[in-house]
Amino acid sequence: MRSLPGTPIDRLLTALLLVGPVLYLVADALYATRGWDDPAAGVVHVLGAAGYAFVLLRLVTWSDGMPAAVLLVVGVLGVAGNVAYGFNTIHVSLGDTDLVDATGAAAGLIKPLGLCFPLTLLVAAFALRRGQPGWVVAVLAVAGVAWPVAHIANVGWLAVLVNAVLAATFGAMAVAAGRRTRATDHPLTQPA
């Protein structure tokens, strides 16, 4: 699935590469400094996780074939799990049961979906291996491994580091894409 270079959707998805990673970096900085049950961190977490839906769409449009299809499916599940973890933080901050640590349907749903988020980073590394520089692929792969280590073990400094590197990487990808793409670069977007 490709978006036409220079179209409003193409430019928007490229610009939105930064929203999810930057918001998530803020969320993890709040978690690291205020604790893993901070309500403000939970709110920013939900917004950042939702922002990653746009990152997913951008990465899918830069991929093709079966890897793009797998990325789309795993990524949608990962975004859902990531949002659920953010709402769980808000839930816990209100003094309610931690759904992730509870038994039954909540934990049985949130944990597997949540693990789909770092899996999305690994699948993205594979899906983008031919279209992005090797360092981008390596960063996504390493982040896919480091993400669950940081977030399952609640290692604040590592979570902040992983998200700072992801924000910088997606920012560099957006800048590079912006340089390559202009509205006049594609015949369907040229003025008549």
Side-chain angles (χ1 to χ4, degrees), residues 37-115:
D37 59 353
D38 180 66
V43 169
V44 178
H45 177 156
V46 170
L47 296 173
Y52 261 105
F54 297 107
V55 172
L56 170 66
L57 292 174
R58 173 77 293 180
L59 299 182
V60 168
T61 65
W62 284 343
S63 308
D64 55 22
M66 188 57 72
V70 172
L71 177 59
L72 181 61
V73 171
V74 172
V76 166
L77 296 175
V79 166
N82 202 350
V83 168
Y85 266 93
F87 277 114
N88 184 62
T89 297
I90 295 168
H91 196 249
V92 170
S93 76
L94 296 171
D96 292 327
T97 302
D98 186 341
L99 298 174
V100 174
D101 290 338
T103 58
L109 182 63
I110 294 173
K111 285 180 182 178
L113 288 178
L115 288 173

Side-chain angles (χ1 to χ4, degrees), residues 2-191:
R2 300 275 183 207
S3 62
L4 295 177
T7 62
I9 288 176
D10 181 66
R11 290 190 307 268
L12 178 65
L13 288 177
T14 298
L16 290 174
L17 271 174
L18 294 172
V19 174
V22 168
L23 284 171
Y24 216 103
L25 174 59
V26 171
D28 274 347
L30 290 170
Y31 282 135
T33 57
R34 296 177 166 189
W36 292 93
D37 59 353
D38 180 66
V43 169
V44 178
H45 177 156
V46 170
L47 296 173
Y52 261 105
F54 297 107
V55 172
L56 170 66
L57 292 174
R58 173 77 293 180
L59 299 182
V60 168
T61 65
W62 284 343
S63 308
D64 55 22
M66 188 57 72
V70 172
L71 177 59
L72 181 61
V73 171
V74 172
V76 166
L77 296 175
V79 166
N82 202 350
V83 168
Y85 266 93
F87 277 114
N88 184 62
T89 297
I90 295 168
H91 196 249
V92 170
S93 76
L94 296 171
D96 292 327
T97 302
D98 186 341
L99 298 174
V100 174
D101 290 338
T103 58
L109 182 63
I110 294 173
K111 285 180 182 178
L113 288 178
L115 288 173
C116 284
F117 185 77
L119 181 58
T120 299
L121 297 171
L122 291 171
V123 174
F126 180 78
L128 297 171
R129 72 193 183 287
R130 291 191 182 110
Q132 292 292 324
W135 71 269
V136 168
V137 172
V139 165
L140 293 175
V142 170
V145 173
W147 184 283
V149 172
H151 291 90
I152 292 171
N154 294 342
V155 181
W157 69 266
L158 182 58
V160 170
L161 177 62
V162 168
N163 282 291
V165 170
L166 282 172
T169 300
F170 287 124
M173 291 169 74
V175 168
R179 287 185 184 145
R180 289 190 308 264
T181 307
R182 289 187 174 39
T184 58
D185 290 343
H186 197 279
L188 293 179
T189 60
Q190 290 178 351

